[in-house]
Amino acid sequence: MADSRTALVLFSGGQDSTVCLAWALSRFAHVETVGFDYGQRHRVELACRLTVRDELRRAFPGWASRLGDDHVLDLALLGQLSDTALTRQRAIEMQAHGLPNTFVPGRNLLFLTLAATLAYRRGASVLVGGMCETDYSGYPDCRDNTLKALQVAISLGMDTPMTVETPLMWLNKAQTWTLAERLGGTALVDLIVEHTHTCYLGQREPRHAWGRGCGQCPACELRARGHAQYLAGEPAAELS
Ligand code: ZN
């Protein structure tokens, strides 16, 4: 029996949020997706979102009837507020305070709050996001306590119970591949390799065993390393 609540998945078209979408589709009777257009350099990500949704519907008929509307919110405002490597033509590098300059301060706080506003209107009471403490790049707005505090703030501020689910919070990249296989078998793993986007530079070529991208940027390296550990069946890839 599926959970009768409606879930709204923060869905970027990347590997992590695609696994979160599959996780939600395996649990909730009705699932919608929301994406954010904030002037990100790799706009190819926004195109991948729709392809991934179509491919999920095609490959998993049991999930197709649960997958509802997609929403894209215009967050050009974020590009005005931040000066980072994700929204400007700058090299990705570590900064003095230990965070990479891909960090958009408070981005996930904004994303979740806006998603909650949309969820309220759509009758959804579960927000699902791919935030993760394990492999994260030091982003404080990805931490479990940050998100638990935000769940309380949103639920109080909107005077309605709103649950924030983060199924990847304690998984590394190899375990995320394992979770994908558990949720949708090799069909889901193959779909993620072929159709999701991760590369910070926005490249879709060349095609590697782990997916498409430059193979050099931090996001590609993380994805490639996790996929290799997953394929090798290393302990790092096992789920408890
Ligand atoms: Zn890359």
Side-chain angles (χ1 to χ4, degrees), residues 86-105:
L86 280 187
T87 53
R88 304 275 171 89
Q89 295 293 330
R90 282 174 49 184
I92 297 169
E93 56 194 26
M94 292 303 286
Q95 302 178 108
H97 51 74
L99 292 171
N101 63 348
T102 49
F103 175 60
V104 179

Side-chain angles (χ1 to χ4, degrees), residues 25-198:
L25 288 167
S26 72
R27 277 168 178 72
F28 297 98
H30 188 72
V31 178
E32 299 191 0
T33 51
V34 60
F36 302 96
D37 184 350
Y38 56 97
Q40 53 267 64
R41 277 193 347 195
H42 44 297
R43 303 191 57 78
V44 60
E45 205 178 73
L46 291 174
C48 286
R49 300 175 72 252
L50 298 176
T51 307
V52 169
R53 281 175 48 97
D54 288 345
E55 291 293 322
L56 281 172
R57 274 209 182 93
R58 192 182 58 76
F60 300 95
W63 291 349
S65 60
R66 297 180 174 191
L67 182 55
D69 288 353
D70 179 49
H71 313 267
V72 175
L73 303 182
D74 182 352
L75 265 189
L77 174 71
L78 203 57
Q80 294 171 12
L81 289 171
S82 64
D83 177 25
T84 79
L86 280 187
T87 53
R88 304 275 171 89
Q89 295 293 330
R90 282 174 49 184
I92 297 169
E93 56 194 26
M94 292 303 286
Q95 302 178 108
H97 51 74
L99 292 171
N101 63 348
T102 49
F103 175 60
V104 179
R107 181 176 62 170
N108 286 308
L109 303 180
L110 287 169
F111 284 3
L112 277 164
T113 305
L114 291 166
T117 301
L118 176 65
Y120 188 99
R121 183 164 64 78
R122 301 292 300 176
S125 56
V126 183
L127 302 173
V128 184
M131 300 80 176
C132 170
E133 271 205 28
T134 311
D135 271 338
Y136 80 137
S137 309
Y139 301 138
D141 59 341
C142 289
R143 291 177 188 151
D144 194 44
N145 277 344
T146 304
L147 299 172
K148 284 189 163 65
L150 191 60
Q151 170 180 286
V152 173
I154 288 171
S155 297
L156 288 172
M158 297 189 177
D159 198 21
T160 186
M162 195 72 77
T163 305
V164 176
E165 293 278 9
T166 54
L168 311 185
M169 181 56 70
W170 307 110
L171 304 187
N172 59 35
K173 284 292 178 198
Q175 290 170 322
T176 301
W177 287 106
T178 303
L179 176 59
E181 185 185 326
R182 196 171 280 184
L183 291 167
T186 52
L188 183 59
V189 173
D190 292 347
L191 188 159
I192 288 168
V193 167
E194 190 60 38
H195 296 293
T196 66
H197 185 78
T198 298

